[in-house]
Amino acid sequence: GACASYRLRDGVHPLWQSPITIPGGSRQSPINIQWRDSVYDPHLKPLEIRYDPDTCLHMWNNGYSFLVEFEDTTDKSIITGGPLENNYRLKQFHFHWGAVNEWGSEHTVDCQVFPAELHLVHWNCCKFESFEEALMDENGLAVIGVFLKLGANHNGLQKLVDALPSIKYKDSLVELEEFDPSCLLPSCPDYWTYSGSLTTPPLSESVTWIIKKKAIEVDEDQLEVFRMLLFSQAGEDEKRMVDNFRPLQPIMDRTVRSSFP
Ligand SMILES: Cc1ccnc(S(N)(=O)=O)n1
Ligand SMILES: [Zn+2]
């Protein structure tokens, strides 16, 4: 590919022991976004984000990442507009990060890797009854991707970071009172969008990706706390939860559109 990526042995990603490319996949994620190849689409609307902090349920370690889940039985926390034809309900958000600050994100921009990436996962509540159902449709899901870069301490993130030690082990959970994920979004409205897939199993090709152009800043201490999480369950030999990102996938016959000229 375009970016100097390290060839993984025999196409099996160490993290999931599953193929890093699925046979017949034509719209897999993540990809490198080549800024100069993206096409400005003046018809793209601004993305509308309306999250209700009261829909926040809990945070848990699922053995791939840590995720914050939301009550998605009502339209209280939704996104609409942008490249989307319908309303999409927030189900959860999670992160991907590296063992060191030199890598960790899933998407790249002009081959630039970031130390981490946030994914806010939504499903099309106009056309489907549940996330599981939406998962099977090519327009079922919408994921907002936000790059994390090293800089100042992120105050909103710190609330989650403080709770991470309580979910160190796989399958551990902690209740969260309200949390507004909008605090994790950059103020700049600019984004790229393309048709892709989930980046962890089942790798379903049902995602409209919305990748924010601007990164948010977090500090080293906050990323170090991410890295103290474990893939392993209590009692098993400890495996640090790091490098939980999928390798870049071929762009194939896709165009990345930008919301900005
Ligand atoms: C909910 C979910 C499952 C698998 N993969 C993803 S991701 N990393 O594409 O956002 N999200
Ligand atoms: Zn993800």
Side-chain angles (χ1 to χ4, degrees):
C3 307
S5 59
Y6 307 100
R7 282 212 49 69
L8 284 152
R9 57 186 174 74
D10 62 15
V12 174
H13 193 274
L15 179 62
W16 302 304
Q17 303 314 313
S18 71
I20 54 171
T21 56
I22 53 170
S26 61
R27 51 174 282 190
Q28 288 290 293
S29 294
I31 60 169
N32 173 57
I33 296 167
Q34 201 67 33
W35 195 314
R36 65 177 173 282
D37 293 346
S38 62
V39 177
Y40 168 51
D41 180 348
H43 300 106
L44 280 171
K45 302 183 190 71
L47 191 59
E48 289 174 56
I49 296 170
R50 290 195 287 274
Y51 293 147
D52 178 345
D54 291 340
T55 55
C56 183
L57 293 171
H58 48 250
M59 180 163 80
W60 66 292
N61 175 335
N62 71 350
Y64 288 125
S65 179
F66 69 92
L67 55 154
V68 177
E69 293 193 305
F70 290 77
E71 183 259 309
D72 65 347
T73 53
T74 72
D75 275 352
K76 283 184 183 174
S77 289
I78 60 143
I79 61 173
T80 192
L84 306 171
E85 299 290 318
N86 299 122
N87 294 351
Y88 285 68
R89 249 180 231 168
L90 176 65
K91 176 173 179 54
Q92 55 108 315
F93 68 79
H94 62 274
F95 297 81
H96 303 262
W97 61 92
V100 292
N101 296 328
E102 279 64 37
W103 61 75
S105 64
E106 298 214 296
H107 292 87
T108 57
V109 179
D110 294 345
C111 298
Q112 177 188 2
V113 179
F114 292 82
E117 184 172 332
L118 159 65
H119 290 157
L120 296 127
V121 182
H122 310 75
W123 57 274
N124 185 332
C125 51
C126 295
K127 287 172 64 178
F128 305 102
E129 301 289 301
S130 70
F131 170 80
E132 287 70 22
E133 198 192 328
L135 188 64
M136 326 272 221
D137 184 274
E138 60 186 1
N139 297 307
L141 305 179
V143 182
I144 298 177
V146 181
F147 295 117
L148 276 61
K149 69 177 184 182
L150 277 188
N153 178 280
H154 194 293
N155 193 264
L157 181 67
Q158 193 55 40
K159 193 168 161 187
L160 304 177
V161 167
D162 290 338
L164 289 182
S166 67
I167 58 164
K168 180 179 170 110
Y169 297 103
K170 179 173 185 291
D171 296 332
S172 50
L173 178 143
V174 61
E175 295 300 316
L176 279 182
E177 78 275 5
E178 58 183 35
F179 183 81
D180 180 357
S182 313
C183 77
L184 300 174
L185 297 171
S187 50
C188 177
D190 296 348
Y191 62 86
W192 288 282
T193 184
Y194 79 96
S195 299
S197 74
L198 296 175
T199 66
T200 65
L203 304 173
S204 314
E205 297 191 333
S206 53
V207 181
T208 298
W209 279 94
I210 297 166
I211 307 286
K212 300 294 285 183
K213 183 182 80 174
K214 291 286 188 196
I216 59 169
E217 287 189 23
V218 299
D219 73 18
E220 287 211 80
D221 296 340
Q222 293 179 306
L223 287 177
E224 273 309 313
V225 180
F226 282 25
R227 299 180 184 121
M228 49 68 75
L229 292 169
L230 299 178
F231 286 127
S232 41
Q233 287 182 319
E236 294 178 343
D237 36 335
E238 305 214 333
K239 282 177 285 181
R240 286 191 318 140
M241 184 180 276
V242 293
D243 298 334
N244 55 356
F245 54 87
R246 189 188 193 195
L248 290 173
Q249 301 297 309
I251 192 158
M252 316 277 276
D253 180 26
R254 290 179 282 181
T255 301
V256 177
R257 290 182 289 162
S258 65
S259 71
F260 55 95

mmCIF file of all heavy atoms in Angstrom, residues 203-229:
data_model
loop_
_atom_site.group_PDB
_atom_site.id
_atom_site.type_symbol
_atom_site.label_atom_id
_atom_site.label_comp_id
_atom_site.label_asym_id
_atom_site.label_seq_id
_atom_site.Cartn_x
_atom_site.Cartn_y
_atom_site.Cartn_z
ATOM 1 N N LEU A 203 -16.588 -7.239 11.268
ATOM 2 C CA LEU A 203 -16.030 -6.565 10.081
ATOM 3 C C LEU A 203 -17.104 -6.252 9.030
ATOM 4 O O LEU A 203 -16.807 -6.165 7.836
ATOM 5 C CB LEU A 203 -14.925 -7.425 9.444
ATOM 6 C CG LEU A 203 -13.760 -7.831 10.374
ATOM 7 C CD1 LEU A 203 -12.839 -8.814 9.652
ATOM 8 C CD2 LEU A 203 -12.965 -6.620 10.839
ATOM 9 N N SER A 204 -18.326 -6.086 9.478
ATOM 10 C CA SER A 204 -19.474 -5.882 8.564
ATOM 11 C C SER A 204 -19.306 -4.640 7.704
ATOM 12 O O SER A 204 -18.901 -3.575 8.220
ATOM 13 C CB SER A 204 -20.766 -5.735 9.376
ATOM 14 O OG SER A 204 -20.831 -6.730 10.372
ATOM 15 N N GLU A 205 -19.627 -4.753 6.429
ATOM 16 C CA GLU A 205 -19.478 -3.632 5.481
ATOM 17 C C GLU A 205 -20.746 -2.785 5.484
ATOM 18 O O GLU A 205 -21.467 -2.695 4.493
ATOM 19 C CB GLU A 205 -19.124 -4.169 4.097
ATOM 20 C CG GLU A 205 -17.772 -4.890 4.120
ATOM 21 C CD GLU A 205 -17.215 -5.234 2.753
ATOM 22 O OE1 GLU A 205 -18.007 -5.414 1.809
ATOM 23 O OE2 GLU A 205 -15.978 -5.295 2.643
ATOM 24 N N SER A 206 -21.000 -2.182 6.615
ATOM 25 C CA SER A 206 -22.265 -1.462 6.840
ATOM 26 C C SER A 206 -22.066 -0.080 7.447
ATOM 27 O O SER A 206 -23.009 0.503 7.980
ATOM 28 C CB SER A 206 -23.130 -2.300 7.806
ATOM 29 O OG SER A 206 -22.387 -2.607 8.979
ATOM 30 N N VAL A 207 -20.842 0.438 7.363
ATOM 31 C CA VAL A 207 -20.516 1.684 8.072
ATOM 32 C C VAL A 207 -20.307 2.862 7.125
ATOM 33 O O VAL A 207 -19.515 2.780 6.186
ATOM 34 C CB VAL A 207 -19.235 1.521 8.938
ATOM 35 C CG1 VAL A 207 -18.929 2.825 9.679
ATOM 36 C CG2 VAL A 207 -19.393 0.377 9.935
ATOM 37 N N THR A 208 -21.054 3.953 7.406
ATOM 38 C CA THR A 208 -20.709 5.248 6.817
ATOM 39 C C THR A 208 -19.739 5.891 7.808
ATOM 40 O O THR A 208 -20.143 6.216 8.932
ATOM 41 C CB THR A 208 -21.945 6.137 6.642
ATOM 42 O OG1 THR A 208 -22.853 5.499 5.737
ATOM 43 C CG2 THR A 208 -21.560 7.512 6.087
ATOM 44 N N TRP A 209 -18.482 6.013 7.402
ATOM 45 C CA TRP A 209 -17.464 6.605 8.273
ATOM 46 C C TRP A 209 -17.481 8.117 8.135
ATOM 47 O O TRP A 209 -17.603 8.639 7.014
ATOM 48 C CB TRP A 209 -16.070 6.064 7.944
ATOM 49 C CG TRP A 209 -15.820 4.735 8.570
ATOM 50 C CD1 TRP A 209 -16.004 3.500 7.995
ATOM 51 C CD2 TRP A 209 -15.382 4.496 9.911
ATOM 52 N NE1 TRP A 209 -15.708 2.515 8.897
ATOM 53 C CE2 TRP A 209 -15.323 3.103 10.089
ATOM 54 C CE3 TRP A 209 -15.048 5.328 10.990
ATOM 55 C CZ2 TRP A 209 -14.930 2.514 11.286
ATOM 56 C CZ3 TRP A 209 -14.645 4.756 12.175
ATOM 57 C CH2 TRP A 209 -14.588 3.351 12.319
ATOM 58 N N ILE A 210 -17.386 8.801 9.282
ATOM 59 C CA ILE A 210 -17.307 10.261 9.317
ATOM 60 C C ILE A 210 -16.065 10.565 10.164
ATOM 61 O O ILE A 210 -16.091 10.388 11.390
ATOM 62 C CB ILE A 210 -18.574 10.861 9.961
ATOM 63 C CG1 ILE A 210 -19.814 10.510 9.107
ATOM 64 C CG2 ILE A 210 -18.445 12.380 10.110
ATOM 65 C CD1 ILE A 210 -21.148 10.761 9.801
ATOM 66 N N ILE A 211 -14.969 10.928 9.493
ATOM 67 C CA ILE A 211 -13.685 11.115 10.178
ATOM 68 C C ILE A 211 -13.425 12.613 10.345
ATOM 69 O O ILE A 211 -13.332 13.339 9.348
ATOM 70 C CB ILE A 211 -12.519 10.495 9.368
ATOM 71 C CG1 ILE A 211 -12.807 9.027 9.026
ATOM 72 C CG2 ILE A 211 -11.206 10.654 10.136
ATOM 73 C CD1 ILE A 211 -12.700 8.050 10.153
ATOM 74 N N LYS A 212 -13.348 13.078 11.578
ATOM 75 C CA LYS A 212 -13.153 14.514 11.829
ATOM 76 C C LYS A 212 -11.758 14.927 11.387
ATOM 77 O O LYS A 212 -10.769 14.203 11.636
ATOM 78 C CB LYS A 212 -13.328 14.814 13.326
ATOM 79 C CG LYS A 212 -14.704 14.448 13.877
ATOM 80 C CD LYS A 212 -15.805 15.293 13.286
ATOM 81 C CE LYS A 212 -15.793 16.673 13.883
ATOM 82 N NZ LYS A 212 -16.931 17.496 13.363
ATOM 83 N N LYS A 213 -11.700 16.096 10.746
ATOM 84 C CA LYS A 213 -10.408 16.572 10.241
ATOM 85 C C LYS A 213 -9.482 16.955 11.400
ATOM 86 O O LYS A 213 -8.281 16.663 11.365
ATOM 87 C CB LYS A 213 -10.621 17.786 9.331
ATOM 88 C CG LYS A 213 -9.361 18.323 8.702
ATOM 89 C CD LYS A 213 -9.614 19.564 7.839
ATOM 90 C CE LYS A 213 -9.748 20.824 8.677
ATOM 91 N NZ LYS A 213 -9.840 22.046 7.844
ATOM 92 N N LYS A 214 -10.019 17.603 12.424
ATOM 93 C CA LYS A 214 -9.193 18.071 13.553
ATOM 94 C C LYS A 214 -9.110 16.989 14.641
ATOM 95 O O LYS A 214 -10.129 16.351 14.944
ATOM 96 C CB LYS A 214 -9.799 19.336 14.162
ATOM 97 C CG LYS A 214 -9.703 20.549 13.253
ATOM 98 C CD LYS A 214 -8.306 21.094 13.189
ATOM 99 C CE LYS A 214 -8.307 22.424 12.424
ATOM 100 N NZ LYS A 214 -6.955 22.823 11.994
ATOM 101 N N ALA A 215 -7.929 16.860 15.211
ATOM 102 C CA ALA A 215 -7.726 15.938 16.329
ATOM 103 C C ALA A 215 -8.053 16.644 17.640
ATOM 104 O O ALA A 215 -8.062 17.878 17.710
ATOM 105 C CB ALA A 215 -6.273 15.470 16.352
ATOM 106 N N ILE A 216 -8.344 15.853 18.668
ATOM 107 C CA ILE A 216 -8.449 16.425 20.030
ATOM 108 C C ILE A 216 -7.116 16.137 20.720
ATOM 109 O O ILE A 216 -6.389 15.212 20.362
ATOM 110 C CB ILE A 216 -9.619 15.833 20.848
ATOM 111 C CG1 ILE A 216 -9.491 14.321 21.009
ATOM 112 C CG2 ILE A 216 -10.950 16.232 20.224
ATOM 113 C CD1 ILE A 216 -10.463 13.730 22.030
ATOM 114 N N GLU A 217 -6.802 16.975 21.725
ATOM 115 C CA GLU A 217 -5.543 16.823 22.465
ATOM 116 C C GLU A 217 -5.785 16.078 23.766
ATOM 117 O O GLU A 217 -6.754 16.349 24.483
ATOM 118 C CB GLU A 217 -4.943 18.202 22.787
ATOM 119 C CG GLU A 217 -4.344 18.894 21.591
ATOM 120 C CD GLU A 217 -3.574 20.160 21.985
ATOM 121 O OE1 GLU A 217 -3.141 20.258 23.151
ATOM 122 O OE2 GLU A 217 -3.424 21.031 21.129
ATOM 123 N N VAL A 218 -4.872 15.137 24.045
ATOM 124 C CA VAL A 218 -4.860 14.441 25.338
ATOM 125 C C VAL A 218 -3.407 14.454 25.806
ATOM 126 O O VAL A 218 -2.492 14.685 25.001
ATOM 127 C CB VAL A 218 -5.354 12.985 25.200
ATOM 128 C CG1 VAL A 218 -6.784 12.946 24.694
ATOM 129 C CG2 VAL A 218 -4.440 12.157 24.301
ATOM 130 N N ASP A 219 -3.155 14.224 27.097
ATOM 131 C CA ASP A 219 -1.742 14.218 27.514
ATOM 132 C C ASP A 219 -1.239 12.792 27.719
ATOM 133 O O ASP A 219 -2.024 11.823 27.746
ATOM 134 C CB ASP A 219 -1.509 15.140 28.710
ATOM 135 C CG ASP A 219 -2.070 14.603 30.024
ATOM 136 O OD1 ASP A 219 -2.341 13.382 30.121
ATOM 137 O OD2 ASP A 219 -2.263 15.395 30.952
ATOM 138 N N GLU A 220 0.089 12.675 27.834
ATOM 139 C CA GLU A 220 0.744 11.358 27.913
ATOM 140 C C GLU A 220 0.221 10.528 29.071
ATOM 141 O O GLU A 220 0.032 9.329 28.942
ATOM 142 C CB GLU A 220 2.258 11.554 28.105
ATOM 143 C CG GLU A 220 2.949 12.045 26.861
ATOM 144 C CD GLU A 220 4.373 11.535 26.770
ATOM 145 O OE1 GLU A 220 4.558 10.388 26.359
ATOM 146 O OE2 GLU A 220 5.282 12.301 27.130
ATOM 147 N N ASP A 221 -0.018 11.188 30.207
ATOM 148 C CA ASP A 221 -0.486 10.453 31.385
ATOM 149 C C ASP A 221 -1.827 9.784 31.093
ATOM 150 O O ASP A 221 -2.089 8.656 31.526
ATOM 151 C CB ASP A 221 -0.627 11.395 32.594
ATOM 152 C CG ASP A 221 0.737 11.968 32.991
ATOM 153 O OD1 ASP A 221 1.765 11.359 32.599
ATOM 154 O OD2 ASP A 221 0.770 13.017 33.654
ATOM 155 N N GLN A 222 -2.677 10.471 30.350
ATOM 156 C CA GLN A 222 -3.993 9.898 30.044
ATOM 157 C C GLN A 222 -3.840 8.658 29.145
ATOM 158 O O GLN A 222 -4.474 7.623 29.400
ATOM 159 C CB GLN A 222 -4.889 10.960 29.390
ATOM 160 C CG GLN A 222 -5.247 12.086 30.363
ATOM 161 C CD GLN A 222 -6.100 13.172 29.756
ATOM 162 O OE1 GLN A 222 -5.741 13.763 28.718
ATOM 163 N NE2 GLN A 222 -7.226 13.455 30.386
ATOM 164 N N LEU A 223 -2.941 8.753 28.156
ATOM 165 C CA LEU A 223 -2.727 7.571 27.293
ATOM 166 C C LEU A 223 -2.086 6.423 28.089
ATOM 167 O O LEU A 223 -2.395 5.253 27.867
ATOM 168 C CB LEU A 223 -1.845 7.946 26.092
ATOM 169 C CG LEU A 223 -2.521 8.797 25.014
ATOM 170 C CD1 LEU A 223 -1.536 9.156 23.916
ATOM 171 C CD2 LEU A 223 -3.742 8.097 24.416
ATOM 172 N N GLU A 224 -1.219 6.780 29.045
ATOM 173 C CA GLU A 224 -0.581 5.718 29.852
ATOM 174 C C GLU A 224 -1.636 4.944 30.645
ATOM 175 O O GLU A 224 -1.515 3.722 30.829
ATOM 176 C CB GLU A 224 0.461 6.318 30.816
ATOM 177 C CG GLU A 224 1.845 6.468 30.209
ATOM 178 C CD GLU A 224 2.355 5.184 29.548
ATOM 179 O OE1 GLU A 224 2.258 4.108 30.166
ATOM 180 O OE2 GLU A 224 2.827 5.265 28.397
ATOM 181 N N VAL A 225 -2.693 5.619 31.048
ATOM 182 C CA VAL A 225 -3.742 4.903 31.799
ATOM 183 C C VAL A 225 -4.486 3.943 30.863
ATOM 184 O O VAL A 225 -4.784 2.796 31.241
ATOM 185 C CB VAL A 225 -4.709 5.891 32.484
ATOM 186 C CG1 VAL A 225 -5.785 5.143 33.261
ATOM 187 C CG2 VAL A 225 -3.947 6.833 33.415
ATOM 188 N N PHE A 226 -4.707 4.349 29.599
ATOM 189 C CA PHE A 226 -5.299 3.412 28.618
ATOM 190 C C PHE A 226 -4.469 2.118 28.591
ATOM 191 O O PHE A 226 -4.991 1.015 28.556
ATOM 192 C CB PHE A 226 -5.256 3.999 27.195
ATOM 193 C CG PHE A 226 -6.278 5.042 26.842
ATOM 194 C CD1 PHE A 226 -6.884 5.833 27.803
ATOM 195 C CD2 PHE A 226 -6.609 5.247 25.504
ATOM 196 C CE1 PHE A 226 -7.804 6.812 27.446
ATOM 197 C CE2 PHE A 226 -7.536 6.227 25.135
ATOM 198 C CZ PHE A 226 -8.135 7.004 26.105
ATOM 199 N N ARG A 227 -3.133 2.288 28.637
ATOM 200 C CA ARG A 227 -2.208 1.169 28.444
ATOM 201 C C ARG A 227 -2.069 0.266 29.669
ATOM 202 O O ARG A 227 -1.402 -0.767 29.605
ATOM 203 C CB ARG A 227 -0.826 1.695 28.032
ATOM 204 C CG ARG A 227 -0.826 2.479 26.730
ATOM 205 C CD ARG A 227 0.552 2.980 26.343
ATOM 206 N NE ARG A 227 0.490 3.816 25.124
ATOM 207 C CZ ARG A 227 0.891 5.082 25.080
ATOM 208 N NH1 ARG A 227 1.416 5.669 26.150
ATOM 209 N NH2 ARG A 227 0.772 5.790 23.957
ATOM 210 N N MET A 228 -2.720 0.662 30.785
ATOM 211 C CA MET A 228 -2.671 -0.234 31.952
ATOM 212 C C MET A 228 -3.845 -1.207 31.946
ATOM 213 O O MET A 228 -3.913 -2.125 32.755
ATOM 214 C CB MET A 228 -2.592 0.510 33.281
ATOM 215 C CG MET A 228 -3.554 1.628 33.550
ATOM 216 S SD MET A 228 -5.278 1.112 33.746
ATOM 217 C CE MET A 228 -5.248 0.400 35.365
ATOM 218 N N LEU A 229 -4.772 -0.995 31.008
ATOM 219 C CA LEU A 229 -5.880 -1.956 30.866
ATOM 220 C C LEU A 229 -5.313 -3.284 30.366
ATOM 221 O O LEU A 229 -4.225 -3.338 29.804
ATOM 222 C CB LEU A 229 -6.918 -1.428 29.873
ATOM 223 C CG LEU A 229 -7.717 -0.201 30.319
ATOM 224 C CD1 LEU A 229 -8.514 0.369 29.151
ATOM 225 C CD2 LEU A 229 -8.634 -0.531 31.484
#
